[in-house]
Amino acid sequence: GENVEQHPSTLSVQEGDSAVIKCTYSDSASNYFPWYKQELGKRPQLIIDIRSNVGEKKDQRIAVTLNKTAKHFSLHITETQPEDSAVYFCAASEAGTYKYIFGTGTRLKVLA
Amino acid sequence: NAGVTQTPKFQVLKTGQSMTLQCAQDMNHNSMYWYRQDPGMGLRLIYYSASEGTTDKGEVPNGYNVSRLNKREFSLRLESAAPSQTSVYFCASSEQIRGSEQYFGPGTRLTVT
């Protein structure tokens, strides 16, 4: 089955700096890679996703890149703000199913 | 449109007690999921239901059972709770399309003493 590894587990950045979170996956047949943001005490919510036929996708200050050859994808947040502080999870679809396998999460702290 | 709802929000059980976590969605989604979230472990899939009438095991199914009562409702049962089942439980739903967004409920915080 699919396995997803996520790094780093914690990340602190100064407000206005960029943050990058990286994930690797094991199943080359995976074709969908969502990113979820979870604020303290809240439910996870989708912030951006990418499909395997696309190399990069942007939405305002966030972007995701995918390298299928290396089987890794990354979340990039530019001009970080205090409200970006949260736990971020990557996930990869398991081929042939409706399941997603999640990474272990990255706690991002944006320091004012 | 309430989205995905879960009851209860908090629960404390003694070892060996049983309980059922309830989940309902009003988005007409076919697929529903149960996850548990533990510190440093991310979201781990317990069981899922790709469509009404079907259920399948996820990564950590031991100690749990599920029932897809109808298209809207998907319940998770702990028959004999153990301290290792102390966790936050999230229900989610999605369209039955590969690569579609999963919508999460607010979660149930369960403590087993």
Side-chain angles (χ1 to χ4, degrees):
Chain A
E2 177 66 275
N3 183 52
V4 177
E5 294 188 358
Q6 183 172 348
H7 299 281
S9 56
T10 61
L11 179 61
S12 294
V13 298
Q14 292 292 328
E15 183 178 357
D17 287 350
S18 296
V20 180
I21 303 169
K22 299 181 179 180
C23 289
T24 61
Y25 60 99
S26 61
D27 186 355
S28 57
S30 292
N31 59 11
Y32 176 68
F33 307 92
W35 285 89
Y36 284 79
K37 176 182 179 182
Q38 185 180 28
E39 297 177 353
L40 189 62
K42 301 289 183 64
R43 71 191 78 187
Q45 291 190 295
L46 181 74
I47 55 170
I48 196 167
D49 56 14
I50 192 167
R51 301 182 190 277
S52 58
N53 59 346
V54 175
E56 183 176 3
K57 183 177 179 180
K58 289 183 179 180
D59 183 2
Q60 300 183 347
R61 295 187 298 107
I62 61 174
V64 57
T65 58
L66 172 65
N67 183 326
K68 287 194 298 182
T69 302
K71 290 189 284 188
H72 68 70
F73 56 112
S74 300
L75 178 71
H76 304 253
I77 306 174
T78 59
E79 301 173 19
T80 53
Q81 301 168 3
E83 53 264 37
D84 294 328
S85 295
V87 178
Y88 292 82
F89 292 99
C90 64
S93 60
E94 187 172 277
T97 76
Y98 298 98
K99 296 191 295 184
Y100 302 152
I101 304 301
F102 283 82
T104 51
T106 296
R107 183 174 299 279
L108 174 64
K109 296 180 184 178
V110 179
L111 307 171
Chain B
N1 192 336
V4 181
T5 57
Q6 292 181 235
T7 56
K9 292 186 178 179
F10 302 94
Q11 184 71 50
V12 179
L13 292 178
K14 296 185 187 302
T15 298
Q17 288 185 319
S18 62
M19 79 161 295
T20 300
L21 281 64
Q22 306 286 354
C23 174
Q25 53 90 11
D26 62 2
M27 295 177 283
N28 201 36
H29 286 164
N30 281 309
S31 299
M32 298 185 73
Y33 309 80
W34 276 106
Y35 293 91
R36 61 177 288 173
Q37 183 175 30
D38 304 292
M41 301 293 287
L43 293 156
R44 292 185 292 170
L45 184 64
I46 305 171
Y47 271 94
Y48 72 107
S49 172
S51 62
E52 187 178 356
T54 69
T55 60
D56 287 285
K57 295 178 180 179
E59 303 166 80
V60 289
N62 292 344
Y64 305 95
N65 284 301
V66 290
S67 295
R68 184 72 184 267
L69 305 171
N70 48 56
K71 190 173 184 179
R72 290 186 63 249
E73 298 172 289
F74 188 38
S75 63
L76 178 71
R77 183 161 178 82
L78 287 71
E79 289 291 352
S80 179
S84 60
Q85 294 178 305
T86 293
S87 188
V88 179
Y89 292 85
F90 286 99
C91 177
S93 71
S94 71
E95 296 180 1
Q96 193 183 13
I97 301 172
R98 293 191 174 92
S100 63
E101 178 178 357
Q102 290 189 4
Y103 294 83
F104 285 81
T108 294
R109 185 173 294 274
L110 174 66
T111 302
V112 183
T113 61

